[in-house]
Amino acid sequence: MCGIVGLFFKRPGQEASLGAYLAAMLGTMRDRGPDSAGFAVYGAETDNIKLTVRGAADADLIGLAELFHVQVDLHHSHAVLHVPVANCSVIRARLAALPGITIVGAGRRMALFKEVGLPAHVAERFGLPHMAGTHGIGHTRMATESAVTTEGAHPYTTGMDQCLVHNGSLSNHNSVRRRLIREGLQFETENDTEVAAAYLSWRIREGDSLEAALYASLSDLDGFFTFVVGTRTGFAVLRDPICCKPAVMAETDAWVAFGSEYRALVDLPGIEDARVWEPEPAHVYAWEQAA
Amino acid sequence: MSVVTIDLAEHPTRYLNSTLHGLRADTNQSFWRVLNPRGKHALAAGVQAPVRVEIAGHAGYFCAGMNKCATVVIEGNAGNGVAENMMSGRVIVQGDASAAAGASAHGGLLVICGNAASRCGISMKGVDIVVGGNIGHMSAFMAQAGTLTVLGDAGDNLGDSIYEAEIFVRGTVASLGSDCLEKPMRTEHVSALAGRLREAGFEQADPAAFRRYGSARQLYHFHPDNAGAY
């Protein structure tokens, strides 16, 4: 089943409220996915790269600040390291060698958190209601084909500031994964959604816009899916051509939002007057922040 | 006639539905307002009394499912499967309906003032569905009886594997599904359609502007020439 949500602010000034709205949306979508939850928040851009890492129970995440001489924000089992661009690849390599530490996301603006547990609890533990940002996406998981683990939770990210949540399943992910490995992409799991994320990263690397990359996925990815995608400045939604999975969108002058069900959107400000519609099959809905 | 109000901010869905299920056919409480629906599922499902239920906002899945005798008005959009398996009565969606509106419904009238998404009238068994806007792909899939009337356009594979049922579309049809074809619009079809349009509140629409689609009846029986396709 699974639930997915997304919220994108179309104009500045609303950033402080992003986390609280996203947390409420995730909490409501527990009914579609009580096993685990995850979300990505696009916060303020700085000169640094944000590396989100996950630590095993005995990992010393706070100690990473001293080890690498960087600012570390602790969020329960995760931490966001603010790493100077020049040192990023060195620090990434050293992090990868540390036992009990996993890099889960990287970007100028994106921080990414996911864990096993009820969505409302996961959001609370990470402090999502207090997080600020311009946009965010989230996922609540009801595992059907693999174990309930943090690795199996969404979002998946395979490129800087790029991540994706997915409701559905892909049937040709093994062959697409092999093709993407030949193109130089790296995978952490056997998960189908990671392949979709990597596919978009590959298309964007080859020069596609997010919108073009999503349209290309309609020919290359086989299966059923609703994707909600975040990039550094963008937000997009795509449903498969036969619309296997539910989807509702709402838009006002201030924001655009996605929910697996309308129930996820009911607490958004001005929802009473929002345009509420069901996205069309095989049509890309994409928004970019004004430059 | 007094209006009974149930506020879903104060009561669970189960309270609403069990209250409505308890109504007898001769009840005096024949007018109900449901406040704060907030997209909840299964609202006013299984009502069997001739009462009017107005839902003040958007509804979730299976709203007015299995409806019998009641008139259910949704003052907003409806989620998947609105009026699914309806037996009689009428269901009016003032906004859009999501997928599978009127699925396998046996009777009654379903009016969707806005658009209906994919699979509208899937496996319909006698219901009359009238859609003011467009319908999505695979609508009237395996339809068995009843009518589907669309004032706007129809998506791909309209009437795929249709047994019977009549489809009337005023706008364009993206494509017809297997065994569905256009049929001549004769006088009796125009007059019956005029009656349904009037009943649904679309009396301004000219019934002669619609085209009629139905079953080619080629898939009813196994045909040995198709053996290679299996």
Side-chain angles (χ1 to χ4, degrees):
Chain A
M1 188 128 117
C2 300
I4 49 178
V5 298
L7 178 61
F8 178 85
F9 290 143
K10 290 160 69 179
R11 57 185 188 215
Q14 310 171 80
E15 291 83 351
S17 61
L18 182 87
Y21 288 127
L22 202 58
M25 294 164 83
L26 278 173
T28 305
M29 285 298 96
R30 175 200 62 183
D31 299 0
R32 302 187 61 85
D35 301 337
S36 7
F39 54 90
V41 168
Y42 292 82
E45 187 161 335
T46 66
D47 291 338
N48 293 324
I49 304 278
K50 296 174 187 177
L51 288 180
T52 313
V53 300
R54 183 176 78 241
D58 55 349
D60 178 16
L61 293 172
I62 288 290
L64 297 174
E66 202 174 326
L67 191 59
F68 297 121
H69 307 289
V70 296
Q71 181 193 331
V72 172
D73 304 332
L74 185 67
H75 296 271
H76 183 56
S77 59
H78 288 40
V80 179
L81 282 62
H82 298 264
V83 177
V85 178
N87 305 348
C88 189
S89 53
V90 173
I91 290 178
R92 284 189 83 136
R94 288 181 61 192
L95 279 168
L98 288 177
I101 301 281
T102 310
I103 301 172
V104 295
R108 285 283 189 171
R109 302 184 54 199
M110 182 187 77
L112 192 154
F113 310 87
K114 52 184 174 182
E115 206 170 59
V116 170
L118 279 178
H121 295 173
V122 172
E124 195 63 42
R125 267 185 245 145
F126 286 127
L128 173 59
H130 311 291
M131 290 184 194
T134 53
H135 54 299
I137 65 175
H139 182 268
T140 64
R141 182 169 189 235
M142 184 180 286
T144 53
E145 292 176 39
S146 55
V148 178
T149 60
T150 303
E151 290 77 13
H154 301 207
Y156 281 95
T157 175
T158 52
M160 286 276 286
D161 282 309
Q162 294 165 5
C163 74
L164 171 146
V165 290
H166 169 206
N167 184 193
S169 77
L170 303 177
S171 42
N172 66 339
H173 63 103
N174 284 327
S175 61
V176 176
R177 187 186 296 107
R178 284 193 292 273
R179 181 174 147 199
L180 292 172
I181 287 171
R182 285 198 297 277
E183 295 287 344
L185 283 107
Q186 294 181 348
F187 292 86
E188 307 289 333
T189 71
E190 297 294 305
N191 187 282
D192 58 336
T193 303
E194 187 180 24
V195 173
Y199 177 85
L200 297 180
S201 294
W202 170 60
R203 289 310 320 157
I204 290 169
R205 188 189 80 191
E206 297 300 307
D208 276 1
S209 65
L210 174 58
E211 186 174 355
L214 281 165
Y215 273 120
S217 77
L218 287 167
S219 326
D220 288 336
L221 299 181
D222 187 18
F224 51 98
F225 51 83
T226 301
F227 294 139
V228 180
V229 185
T231 65
R232 190 174 64 85
T233 56
F235 174 76
V237 170
L238 172 66
R239 299 177 83 189
D240 68 61
I242 55 173
C243 290
C244 271
K245 291 296 177 180
V248 176
M249 301 201 68
E251 186 174 16
T252 67
D253 291 342
W255 50 259
V256 58
F258 175 94
S260 288
E261 298 175 24
Y262 173 72
R263 288 188 303 144
L265 312 179
V266 292
D267 290 321
L268 292 171
I271 187 71
E272 307 77 22
D273 303 314
R275 181 169 87 94
V276 178
W277 79 99
E278 175 159 331
E280 296 279 330
H283 182 82
V284 175
Y285 296 83
W287 285 262
E288 274 291 324
Q289 282 163 5
Chain B
M1 184 172 57
S2 65
V3 181
V4 190
T5 298
I6 292 185
D7 188 345
L8 292 176
E10 294 169 14
H11 298 285
T13 303
R14 188 157 293 196
Y15 172 80
L16 167 72
N17 285 344
S18 60
T19 303
L20 294 172
H21 295 168
L23 297 174
R24 291 157 45 115
D26 59 353
T27 179
N28 289 324
Q29 295 178 319
S30 57
F31 193 171
W32 297 73
R33 290 279 300 168
V34 180
L35 307 182
N36 291 306
R38 289 163 61 88
K40 290 193 165 94
H41 300 319
L43 297 177
V47 182
Q48 301 195 55
V51 298
R52 179 181 175 89
V53 182
E54 296 176 349
I55 294 170
H58 301 309
Y61 297 171
F62 306 122
C63 185
M66 303 173 282
N67 184 57
K68 197 172 170 184
C69 303
T71 294
V72 179
V73 181
I74 298 149
E75 297 169 354
N77 298 340
N80 285 15
V82 63
E84 58 99 29
N85 220 60
M86 172 161 63
M87 302 304 288
S88 64
R90 52 178 65 200
V91 175
I92 297 153
V93 182
Q94 293 182 344
D96 298 336
S98 188
S104 72
H106 289 249
L109 174 67
L110 168 62
V111 180
I112 296 156
C113 299
N115 300 317
S118 61
R119 306 171 184 90
C120 179
I122 182 171
S123 196
M124 53 193 280
K125 296 175 173 69
V127 66
D128 289 313
I129 303 176
V130 181
V131 181
N134 306 323
I135 57 171
H137 60 272
M138 294 300 274
S139 288
F141 177 54
M142 298 186 83
Q144 290 141 61
T147 66
L148 172 60
T149 303
V150 184
L151 278 72
D153 303 328
D156 277 312
N157 292 82
L158 177 68
D160 192 275
S161 305
I162 185 172
Y163 291 85
E164 287 303 324
E166 289 184 303
I167 306 171
F168 301 88
V169 182
R170 187 169 66 172
T172 60
V173 174
S175 64
L176 291 172
S178 295
D179 216 33
C180 184
L181 46 68
E182 184 170 358
K183 296 183 170 188
M185 190 79 176
R186 295 192 299 268
T187 321
E188 70 263 32
H189 302 121
V190 174
S191 73
L193 179 56
R196 278 192 301 276
L197 288 167
R198 200 162 47 240
E199 189 76 2
F202 292 110
E203 56 279 346
Q204 79 288 359
D206 175 12
F210 288 74
R211 297 166 79 158
R212 184 169 76 104
Y213 306 88
S215 178
R217 303 185 177 113
Q218 297 302 302
L219 294 178
Y220 270 42
H221 306 291
F222 177 74
H223 197 291
D225 289 350
N226 295 333
Y230 297 96

